[in-house]
Amino acid sequence: MKIHEYQARELFRQYGIPVPEDVLCHTIEEVEQAARKLNRMVVVKAQVHAGGRGKAGGVKLARTIDDAIAAGKKILGMDIKGYTVEKVLVADAVEIDKEFYVGLINDRNTKSVTLMASSEGGVEIEEVAKNSPEKIIKLSIDPLVGLLDFQARDIAMQLFGNMQHVRQAVPILKKLYKLYVETDSSLAEINPLVLTPDGQVYAIDGKMNFDDNALFRQPQILALREPDEDEKKEIAANEKGLSYIKLDGDIGCMVNGAGLAMATIDMIKLYGGSPANFLDIGGSSNPQKVIDAMTILLGDSNVKAVMINIFGGITRCDDVARGLISALNVIKTDIPIVVRLSGTNAEEGLTLLKQAGLPTVGSMSEAARQAIELSKAYVQK
Ligand code: GDP
Ligand code: MN
């Protein structure tokens, strides 16, 4: 789960990480009020679940109230990487002497939380990793003892090289780690962490992600969830017992089992197609589930063909076929559908589908190839 910068800043404050004052705004009037209230140089920042807002024109410094209003007008409603900006943060701006990067992630290789820090702050860390990986300091943190003072001091010294700044940076690192662990975070970044000309250290941007599997024990974090359109669909699907993740392609996939769903996606890619989603309907042939799944797939306007790939085990293929036939009686669509059934009662299932006039194929690769061809031939009416 992702949260917005304004929410990350609030969590930082709760943990005592220094963040300049800010006000969340939904309208130009609110931007004006906020700029008057802060009464200094402010920065107007798009609040969307995307990085690189600065580069995209979604972060603007304003020295006067009129500048702030103009920035608000430009940014509210703007599109950043497919997200429409519906709110902006008006924050107290600081003078910047230098920008640093500090981040925590779960590292599967070391099986621990890794602290990353760099004197190349402000730019996306992926860029630094690509162009000058030697400028990223990494430290694996022992989960039993946490981030120790001497480790935090060592890293802060490498970044700042000045004891007065190190004294401010050490508690920031330790508090960020505490926040990360206590909230079951999977990513916590301060980028940039800045040094001002008068020697103050502030976090002026925050990004945090959380482990979805831990949200059940993190009510405070769950309450911050502001799903975008795609995530809303994913959550609705979950509530119906389906695991659904939207992707960018045009071939809808309906599959039973997560492993088979992944294999289906791989197969579509292998033959040059592009999957529209991951969808695991689980081990049930309940027609209602099939109807729900088809409704979700066909609700995605990118979908130009549907590939149904079922491996019957405990789930019986004839049940799935019946579910599918009754689902398609309810949902009328002209989008081509390819069905591959294999396993328990596949013969019976295929016969039922043929009787109902639905196209079936013999193998998974054939299903993928056909779905790709049909998607290319499909023209929306
Ligand atoms: P991002 O592009 O989405 O990561 O958004 P950031 O909040 O990190 O802002 C991008 C850049 O704008 C920063 O790296 C800074 O260079 C600049 N910026 C943001 N806030 C301030 C501020 O308060 N003062 C100054 N001088 N620059 C800022
Ligand atoms: Mn940033």
Side-chain angles (χ1 to χ4, degrees), residues 316-328:
R316 291 164 34 182
C317 291
D318 54 336
D319 281 347
V320 174
R322 271 185 220 104
L324 194 62
I325 292 164
S326 49
L328 289 172

Side-chain angles (χ1 to χ4, degrees), residues 5 9 20 41-43 45 50-56 59 61 63 91-96 99 121-124 191-192 194 204-206:
E5 177 200 3
R9 289 168 77 118
M41 176 167 77
V42 295
V43 55
K45 315 180 77 175
R53 295 164 302 162
K55 256 195 218 156
V59 176
L61 282 173
R63 288 180 191 277
D92 229 342
V94 293
E95 298 291 345
I96 298 178
E99 304 192 21
V123 281
E124 277 177 65
N191 188 23
V194 299
I204 66 165
D205 184 18

Side-chain angles (χ1 to χ4, degrees), residues 12-150:
F12 288 177
R13 284 190 195 103
Q14 271 180 35
Y15 276 76
I17 296 170
V19 181
E21 208 185 322
D22 57 47
V23 183
L24 183 69
C25 303
H26 301 80
T27 61
I28 299 296
E29 293 70 38
E30 288 177 10
V31 170
E32 179 175 352
Q33 273 173 23
R36 282 189 200 285
K37 177 180 163 222
L38 296 171
N39 197 25
R40 276 168 288 222
M41 176 167 77
V42 295
V43 55
V44 182
K45 315 180 77 175
Q47 298 297 294
V48 285
H49 288 153
R53 295 164 302 162
K55 256 195 218 156
V59 176
K60 289 194 193 302
L61 282 173
R63 288 180 191 277
T64 64
I65 290 165
D66 285 342
D67 279 359
I69 295 170
K73 279 186 181 154
K74 274 217 178 99
I75 299 174
L76 275 169
M78 177 186 231
D79 179 279
I80 298 181
K81 298 180 183 171
Y83 297 97
T84 307
V85 181
E86 283 163 3
K87 39 188 179 275
V88 292
L89 193 66
V90 176
D92 229 342
V94 293
E95 298 291 345
I96 298 178
D97 213 16
K98 196 153 176 17
E99 304 192 21
F100 302 89
Y101 171 94
V102 177
L104 293 165
I105 49 157
N106 285 339
D107 182 351
R108 284 161 204 272
N109 292 324
T110 60
K111 299 189 179 69
S112 63
V113 176
T114 293
L115 170 66
M116 294 197 292
S118 175
S119 53
E120 299 290 298
V123 281
E124 277 177 65
I125 196 66
E126 290 80 6
E127 303 248 310
V128 185
K130 205 167 75 190
N131 303 329
S132 36
E134 74 286 353
K135 289 192 176 144
I136 302 179
I137 309 164
K138 283 190 186 172
L139 172 74
S140 290
I141 300 170
D142 185 326
L144 294 180
V145 292
L147 178 62
L148 297 169
D149 282 340
F150 83 91

Side-chain angles (χ1 to χ4, degrees), residues 40-354:
R40 276 168 288 222
M41 176 167 77
V42 295
V43 55
V44 182
K45 315 180 77 175
Q47 298 297 294
V48 285
H49 288 153
R53 295 164 302 162
K55 256 195 218 156
V59 176
K60 289 194 193 302
L61 282 173
R63 288 180 191 277
T64 64
I65 290 165
D66 285 342
D67 279 359
I69 295 170
K73 279 186 181 154
K74 274 217 178 99
I75 299 174
L76 275 169
M78 177 186 231
D79 179 279
I80 298 181
K81 298 180 183 171
Y83 297 97
T84 307
V85 181
E86 283 163 3
K87 39 188 179 275
V88 292
L89 193 66
V90 176
D92 229 342
V94 293
E95 298 291 345
I96 298 178
D97 213 16
K98 196 153 176 17
E99 304 192 21
F100 302 89
Y101 171 94
V102 177
L104 293 165
I105 49 157
N106 285 339
D107 182 351
R108 284 161 204 272
N109 292 324
T110 60
K111 299 189 179 69
S112 63
V113 176
T114 293
L115 170 66
M116 294 197 292
S118 175
S119 53
E120 299 290 298
V123 281
E124 277 177 65
I125 196 66
E126 290 80 6
E127 303 248 310
V128 185
K130 205 167 75 190
N131 303 329
S132 36
E134 74 286 353
K135 289 192 176 144
I136 302 179
I137 309 164
K138 283 190 186 172
L139 172 74
S140 290
I141 300 170
D142 185 326
L144 294 180
V145 292
L147 178 62
L148 297 169
D149 282 340
F150 83 91
Q151 296 174 312
R153 265 199 306 275
D154 176 32
I155 287 188
M157 198 63 196
Q158 290 185 60
L159 295 184
F160 292 86
N162 168 321
M163 263 327 282
Q164 206 234 319
H165 306 152
V166 168
R167 265 188 224 111
Q168 298 174 65
V170 166
I172 294 177
L173 295 177
K174 295 194 66 168
K175 286 164 178 170
L176 188 67
Y177 179 73
K178 187 169 191 288
L179 167 63
Y180 183 95
V181 172
E182 288 182 356
T183 57
D184 289 309
S185 176
S186 55
L187 174 84
E189 277 186 350
I190 304 177
N191 188 23
L193 179 71
V194 299
L195 177 66
T196 65
D198 55 357
Q200 300 296 308
V201 179
Y202 288 107
I204 66 165
D205 184 18
K207 179 174 174 184
M208 289 192 78
N209 295 347
F210 301 90
D211 183 345
D212 289 344
N213 294 317
L215 289 174
F216 74 94
R217 63 176 191 186
Q218 295 289 351
Q220 192 208 352
I221 301 301
L222 188 58
L224 301 178
R225 177 143 80 178
E226 287 180 20
D228 59 35
E229 288 313 309
D230 291 347
E231 284 164 339
K232 275 185 200 154
K233 282 185 199 155
E234 294 172 6
I235 293 166
N238 273 320
E239 281 163 2
K240 295 191 163 119
L242 307 165
S243 53
Y244 169 77
I245 294 164
K246 191 187 173 323
L247 304 171
D248 297 331
D250 53 15
I251 298 179
C253 310
M254 185 173 124
V255 188
N256 67 331
L260 189 60
M262 306 245 251
T264 304
I265 287 173
D266 282 348
M267 187 79 70
I268 291 171
K269 283 266 186 197
L270 178 70
Y271 289 114
S274 179
N277 64 279
F278 169 100
L279 175 60
D280 172 12
I281 60 166
S284 140
S285 43
N286 176 350
Q288 189 53 46
K289 250 186 170 177
V290 179
I291 294 176
D292 290 340
M294 281 305 283
T295 310
I296 291 168
L297 288 187
L298 299 174
D300 175 353
S301 58
N302 289 338
V303 169
K304 297 202 182 87
V306 173
M307 170 171 170
I308 298 176
N309 189 11
I310 303 292
F311 187 81
I314 297 170
T315 308
R316 291 164 34 182
C317 291
D318 54 336
D319 281 347
V320 174
R322 271 185 220 104
L324 194 62
I325 292 164
S326 49
L328 289 172
N329 281 333
V330 178
I331 317 163
K332 301 281 172 211
T333 178
D334 63 343
I335 289 178
I337 298 171
V338 181
V339 190
R340 177 256 182 170
L341 297 177
S342 170
T344 311
N345 292 3
E347 287 295 318
E348 291 88 332
L350 290 169
T351 311
L352 285 171
L353 292 177
K354 274 184 202 134

